[in-house]
Amino acid sequence: MTTSQTPTFDTFEGLFNEAEFVYRHLGSNDTKQADLLSAIGYDDMATFINDTVPEAVRLHKDLELPVAMSEHAALAKLRLMADKITVNKSYIGQGYSPVRMPAVIQRNVLENPGWYTAYTPYQAEIAQGRLEALLNFQQVCIDLTGLELAGASLLDEATAAAEAMAMSKRMSKSKSTQYFVDDRVYPQTLDVIRTRAKYFGFEVVVGDFELAKSGDYFGALFQYVGREGDVKDLTEVISAVKANKTYTSVVSDIMSLVLLKSPADMGADVALGSTQRFGIPMGYGGPHAAYFAFSDKAKRSAPGRIIGVSKDAQGNTALRMALQTREQHIRREKANSNICTSQVLLANLAGMYAVYHGPTGVKRIATRIHAFATAFAEVIKTGNGDNQLSVVHDQFFDTVLVDCGSEKLATQIFENADNVGYNLWRLGDTQLSVSFSEISDQQDFAVLTQLFVSKSHDLPTAASVSLDSAHLRTDDILSHPVFNSHHTEHEMLRYLKSLEDKDLAMNRSMIALGSCTMKLNATSEMIPITWPEFANVHPFAPLSQMGGYIEMIDSLQEQLKAITGFDDVSMQPNSGASGEYAGILAIRRYHESRNEENRDVCLIPQSAHGTNPATAIMMGMKVVVVSTDDNGNIDIDDLTAKCEEHSANLGALMITYPSTHGVFEEGIRKICDLIHNHGGQVYMDGANMNAQVAIMQPADVGADVLHMNLHKTFCIPHGGGGPGMGPIGMQAHLAPFMADHTLIPVHNAQRGSSAVSAAPYGSASILPISWMYIAMMGRDGLLKATNLALLNANYVADKLKGSYPILYTGKSGRVAHECIIDIRPLKEATGISESDIAKRLMDYGFHAPTMSFPVSGTLMIEPTESESKEELDRFIDALITIRAEAEKVKSGDEGWTLEDNPLVNAPHTAAMITDGEWSHPYSREVAAFPLAYVREHKFWPSVARIDDAYGDKNLMCSCPAIENYM
């Protein structure tokens, strides 16, 4: 290839251009990178990297990965894996069911970057669309459970149940350390509960209702519907255990609650479960949004996020995340949970399913599911001829448990079903369960009846409800106008578009959030997640049917091992916080295997993410804080003293690298050696891994375990606050202690090592995204990405340092992949705060950087490798102009006062700008169009600055009257 303006190509390598995606992903080509380097005083990338990344941690070798593949080649290779997956019709049940996602929702939410590239709605004024969608989700949960409040989703049903256990201890007045679990609970739920309980110091007691009533427990968990499909009224047992100061939680099938009496009507304090049945594919286990509903008195003890209704500066209804003081970034080791991510995208999908179908639609679906089960049970009872078939339970919702009378017959039916493309669930030697779903049809009914009674039956004309009337709910559900207004496709399409237009996502502008790595989520990476082979298989389907899925997961594990240097990888953790938990769990199990249970001290730098101390506390460890020096590095002297003080009991150090302050610490190898010399293990937080890939390896510098945020470094989208995946890499000595699964063995894990998530491979259906990213970037592309991420951050820091102090740098004056600008001197001089700057950036069309973390009064900026020089310059111009605006406040130019200026009044809505009266000392032009490019690309915040205090003092987390939206 020549370097002329119009290139010519003289080799097939150049014509095929297999590495084309690398340059689609990177924001700047070689010429623009040269401009960036020149702007900060460098002639070449190598010299810049030498000044930025300490020699002591450099890898100095190529990753053991293939070179880049083109987008179509990577898709073709993944297609070959998908073709090795057998998609049987699933009648397994056990907490997962086939669904139909409405096409209008799939195309306009799941496949729409306006929804999936958005960030957690911390800046609520530019997140009103997804906040409304989450409020809808909460309303669904409130309506169906009958409880007063609900959160904006948790990770999965099993971890939600474990959170209910921890919350029960916070809420209960009982002094007991025993927790009762209904023996009708799903095995995967019990598995996760046992993991959590051990390190909380709780004893899990599993049994029937009589045991529940006779014991002394701080909390009790009941399943509704049971794992065998049986429906039991819990009113009497809940009343009995509550009389003994026991806090009660009910795990409920969300679809069954459309018909069944609500948990609140039976006296439950908490109701929880999965919303997968509301239009979310099974996805080999996830991602799925768990719901968590509770009473008003528990609102400060509940885990996860809550969306609340508040008011903006103009007195209009506005939504926000309420009671954020409960979150771990503020409360740290005193937090309710280490949960940092919810399942926002999945909660939005589930909520929209209810919006689209409405109360009539969901009742039709739920009734159809139950009527199928009822008709099937009737055939078993009346049409089995000489066979000794019987229906075990008279009261059921969707699942019919059949006792076949003999192991031989059960095996024959089970195998015959597999042979004709149906998966059943075997509950015992002679028992098979058949779980009907939204997609069950007449053909399925004929096949299933043929399998069991040797004669196919047609569906009866009449659809019967066999549930006793005492089990059925009599109250209205989904009565709010939002669930009764959007049932045609054009109405739904316009509603979804109206919400999307209220949100600022990456399809509009860069989101330069430090520690959050909001990078390109390429379309080719997203395409495979809706392929039926990845989307429509049950997590407990026979492994013989999952060859291609396991091949893809194994391949991704090998990619991650090559990148990190670790000996093994566990794919089970379904969020970064879950990865933290799984990593510390492996360390604790390792110490226990060596009879060193006493090693329960966890050293954590004062700059660490709030999830770190919260995780350590959940794992039963004692948190000891280590000081940081003036440059943001760990204070080695203080670390040494703490190691010596706690040497006999030192379990772990949790450290983020590069540091939370955005700096490569020179002494990381020395730090790791020091911990090891005192018998501890090094847990590395992977939040900042975008600065590491192909330049250094965590295992090489001494880390024993690391969680990888696939929703950061490896391109799984944030989805407005989730989904995420947080797999962990481990050295060989820790690998045997990774989480296993009670139903599906996880390779390399020791049998009996309990789980951290409901499914063996967490949220498996989104793993193809990261596989595609790594395959398309290849060995060399990943290095280019890291180099450019570092370069972009240093370019931003260099251009801003004349307007804002850069808080921390390395010894060469360089930052890593993010930089922290200090707003405190500006606030002291002008009165303008970091919050004012964050809100004013909305007027410029930008989402604010991370605010007041890890240092109060600062903004942490991470531009990533995906942003172009032009976009970086627009962002830089905005911040420099805002600085000039703050100086006008200080000087009082043009009558600008601290009480009335464009920063404290920001953001400015279209209604504010077009209001007939304008009494501000600055013009409407300055308010709305502060720079020329804004006029061409204007994004209007839909509400003015939100009153946070009002929302917390007047907490409401259900849908307000429709008039409030008009």
Side-chain angles (χ1 to χ4, degrees), residues 393-414:
H393 301 293
D394 291 332
Q395 294 296 292
F396 49 80
F397 167 62
D398 64 341
T399 300
V400 179
L401 180 61
V402 180
D403 194 307
C404 300
S406 73
E407 182 177 351
K408 180 180 179 181
L409 181 58
T411 300
Q412 179 183 332
I413 295 172
F414 186 82

Side-chain angles (χ1 to χ4, degrees), residues 759-898:
Y761 298 103
S763 296
S765 69
I766 55 177
L767 295 179
I769 300 170
S770 296
W771 186 93
M772 285 288 294
Y773 170 69
I774 297 170
M776 293 188 297
M777 292 297 285
R779 176 193 67 207
D780 302 327
L782 291 170
L783 177 60
K784 291 177 185 293
T786 306
N787 287 345
L788 187 53
L790 297 170
L791 177 57
N792 281 351
N794 278 275
Y795 177 75
V796 170
D798 198 76
K799 291 296 183 181
L800 288 178
K801 66 184 181 184
S803 300
Y804 303 92
I806 306 301
L807 194 56
Y808 299 111
T809 61
K811 69 178 184 180
S812 298
R814 294 286 153 221
V815 298
H817 62 310
E818 59 194 9
C819 64
I820 300 175
I821 60 174
D822 195 351
I823 310 302
R824 292 171 296 185
L826 181 67
K827 183 177 181 180
E828 185 175 347
T830 68
I832 297 300
S833 70
E834 69 280 3
S835 181
D836 296 327
I837 294 173
K839 304 307 180 188
R840 181 60 171 154
L841 274 169
M842 298 176 192
D843 291 331
Y844 288 77
F846 286 109
H847 193 292
T850 303
M851 189 172 69
S852 288
F853 176 80
V855 180
S856 181
T858 65
L859 294 172
M860 183 161 64
I861 303 166
E862 181 181 355
T864 84
E865 72 274 14
S866 296
E867 300 301 339
S868 67
K869 181 177 182 298
E870 291 76 12
E871 186 74 355
L872 299 181
D873 285 338
R874 283 192 286 270
F875 179 71
I876 291 163
D877 288 348
L879 280 173
I880 290 174
T881 306
I882 288 171
R883 170 68 197 230
E885 290 177 339
E887 291 297 335
K888 289 183 70 172
V889 175
K890 177 183 177 182
S891 65
D893 284 0
E894 301 178 24
W896 289 21
T897 66
L898 183 57

Side-chain angles (χ1 to χ4, degrees), residues 474-492:
T474 57
D475 54 326
D476 291 332
I477 59 168
L478 305 181
S479 58
H480 187 272
V482 76
F483 302 113
N484 295 276
S485 305
H486 310 292
H487 302 322
T488 65
E489 180 154 341
H490 64 277
E491 289 169 332
M492 189 68 181

Side-chain angles (χ1 to χ4, degrees), residues 558-851:
E558 292 303 313
Q559 291 172 334
L560 296 175
K561 284 158 66 174
I563 289 167
T564 61
F566 286 109
D567 299 304
D568 213 336
V569 171
S570 169
M571 305 302 295
Q572 191 174 113
N574 54 5
S575 76
S578 180
E580 285 185 23
Y581 186 89
I584 297 298
L585 175 65
I587 288 174
R588 294 229 64 184
R589 286 173 171 172
Y590 167 74
H591 287 314
E592 289 165 1
S593 75
R594 294 159 57 87
N595 296 318
E596 293 185 313
E597 292 89 347
N598 58 295
R599 290 197 171 274
D600 61 356
V601 170
C602 189
L603 303 180
I604 300 180
Q606 63 185 128
S607 63
H609 291 87
T611 52
N612 288 178
T615 296
I617 292 297
M618 288 173 65
M619 283 302 308
M621 301 191 82
K622 302 178 179 71
V623 172
V624 174
V625 178
V626 179
S627 300
T628 53
D629 63 22
D630 293 340
N631 294 317
N633 299 320
I634 286 181
D635 185 325
I636 298 294
D637 290 339
D638 188 52
L639 178 65
T640 301
K642 298 283 173 59
C643 283
E644 291 174 352
E645 179 184 355
H646 300 285
S647 183
N649 299 307
L650 180 59
L653 167 73
M654 299 184 78
I655 184 171
T656 303
Y657 197 82
S659 75
T660 310
H661 291 151
V663 177
F664 284 100
E665 298 196 42
E666 299 278 343
I668 184 63
R669 289 186 184 273
K670 181 178 179 181
I671 289 168
C672 292
D673 288 343
L674 181 61
I675 299 301
H676 293 149
N677 290 339
H678 287 274
Q681 297 284 290
V682 177
Y683 168 87
M684 187 174 283
D685 186 312
N688 293 344
M689 200 178 168
N690 212 46
Q692 294 183 9
V693 178
I695 282 183
M696 60 161 286
Q697 289 182 321
D700 177 62
V701 300
D704 298 291
V705 60
L706 162 116
H707 89 261
M708 294 161 265
N709 295 99
L710 299 189
H711 50 287
K712 296 184 181 183
T713 307
F714 298 103
C715 288
I716 290 176
H718 282 66
M725 275 290 277
I728 57 172
M730 294 159 287
Q731 300 279 17
H733 65 281
L734 290 182
F737 305 103
M738 72 173 78
D740 193 22
H741 194 274
T742 187
L743 295 174
I744 303 295
V746 175
H747 80 284
N748 289 0
Q750 291 185 3
R751 300 290 82 84
S753 291
S754 54
V756 296
S757 300
Y761 298 103
S763 296
S765 69
I766 55 177
L767 295 179
I769 300 170
S770 296
W771 186 93
M772 285 288 294
Y773 170 69
I774 297 170
M776 293 188 297
M777 292 297 285
R779 176 193 67 207
D780 302 327
L782 291 170
L783 177 60
K784 291 177 185 293
T786 306
N787 287 345
L788 187 53
L790 297 170
L791 177 57
N792 281 351
N794 278 275
Y795 177 75
V796 170
D798 198 76
K799 291 296 183 181
L800 288 178
K801 66 184 181 184
S803 300
Y804 303 92
I806 306 301
L807 194 56
Y808 299 111
T809 61
K811 69 178 184 180
S812 298
R814 294 286 153 221
V815 298
H817 62 310
E818 59 194 9
C819 64
I820 300 175
I821 60 174
D822 195 351
I823 310 302
R824 292 171 296 185
L826 181 67
K827 183 177 181 180
E828 185 175 347
T830 68
I832 297 300
S833 70
E834 69 280 3
S835 181
D836 296 327
I837 294 173
K839 304 307 180 188
R840 181 60 171 154
L841 274 169
M842 298 176 192
D843 291 331
Y844 288 77
F846 286 109
H847 193 292
T850 303
M851 189 172 69

Side-chain angles (χ1 to χ4, degrees), residues 300-312:
R300 293 191 180 274
S301 291
R305 295 172 180 151
I306 303 171
I307 307 308
V309 181
S310 187
K311 294 186 180 297
D312 73 357

Side-chain angles (χ1 to χ4, degrees), residues 82-353:
D83 287 343
K84 299 175 187 176
I85 301 169
T86 300
V87 186
N88 272 7
K89 291 200 171 185
S90 181
Y91 280 79
I92 292 173
Q94 299 300 299
Y96 301 89
S97 294
V99 298
R100 286 195 180 94
M101 179 184 291
V104 65
I105 296 175
Q106 176 174 322
R107 177 62 58 88
N108 294 286
V109 181
L110 178 60
E111 297 174 352
N112 182 350
W115 288 88
Y116 69 68
T117 68
Y119 182 60
T120 306
Y122 284 115
Q123 296 295 339
E125 293 85 354
I126 51 176
Q128 289 297 293
R130 93 196 77 110
L131 285 167
E132 182 175 329
L134 288 172
L135 198 72
N136 293 344
F137 172 83
Q138 290 180 174
Q139 186 68 61
V140 172
C141 302
I142 290 168
D143 278 11
L144 293 178
T145 65
L147 287 157
E148 296 169 283
L149 302 177
S153 79
L154 297 178
L155 298 176
D156 62 26
E157 181 167 296
T159 54
E163 295 290 349
M165 174 178 64
M167 178 173 160
S168 295
K169 189 60 178 172
R170 294 191 291 272
M171 293 295 297
S172 176
K173 296 179 180 180
S174 171
K175 302 298 182 182
S176 171
T177 58
Q178 289 190 323
Y179 188 69
F180 176 82
V181 177
D182 184 356
D183 58 12
R184 300 159 56 256
V185 79
Y186 291 130
Q188 67 269 22
T189 302
L190 180 58
D191 201 22
V192 173
I193 285 173
R194 282 181 164 146
T195 305
R196 292 275 186 98
K198 177 176 179 179
Y199 296 99
F200 279 136
F202 302 156
E203 179 187 352
V204 176
V205 178
V206 181
D208 60 15
F209 290 0
E210 291 307 311
L211 185 60
K213 291 185 283 188
S214 63
D216 179 18
Y217 312 106
F218 68 84
L221 183 84
F222 299 98
Q223 186 87 35
Y224 181 68
V225 180
R227 65 186 178 91
E228 294 185 355
D230 56 315
V231 174
K232 293 187 177 182
D233 193 317
L234 304 176
T235 306
E236 193 268 335
V237 68
I238 288 176
S239 176
V241 299
K242 288 180 74 169
N244 200 27
K245 302 179 181 178
T246 302
Y247 200 73
T248 59
S249 303
V250 174
V251 188
S252 305
D253 178 339
I254 192 76
M255 186 61 78
S256 76
L257 294 182
V258 174
L259 299 183
L260 296 179
K261 183 163 58 174
S262 73
D265 279 350
M266 296 185 292
D269 296 304
V270 170
L272 62 102
S274 173
T275 59
Q276 182 263 315
R277 297 194 80 157
F278 272 33
I280 315 300
M282 293 181 290
Y284 204 39
H288 306 133
Y291 71 89
F292 197 92
F294 44 91
S295 62
D296 181 75
K297 66 181 180 181
K299 62 192 176 189
R300 293 191 180 274
S301 291
R305 295 172 180 151
I306 303 171
I307 307 308
V309 181
S310 187
K311 294 186 180 297
D312 73 357
Q314 305 299 305
N316 300 313
T317 297
L319 310 177
R320 57 183 283 275
M321 291 201 297
L323 301 177
Q324 291 185 47
T325 51
R326 305 169 311 113
E327 289 203 6
Q328 75 299 113
H329 280 101
I330 295 171
R331 298 194 67 201
R332 298 173 70 81
E333 67 271 13
K334 295 179 181 178
N336 293 335
S337 170
N338 72 340
I339 289 176
C340 189
T341 309
S342 53
Q343 296 281 22
V344 169
L345 183 62
L346 291 311
N348 288 340
L349 293 170
M352 289 305 169
Y353 179 93

Side-chain angles (χ1 to χ4, degrees), residues 16-21 67-76 524 772 775-776:
F16 278 114
N17 195 18
E18 290 296 313
E20 181 180 18
F21 175 79
V67 296
M69 301 176 69
S70 65
E71 294 178 60
H72 66 270
L75 283 168
S524 289
M772 285 288 294
M776 293 188 297

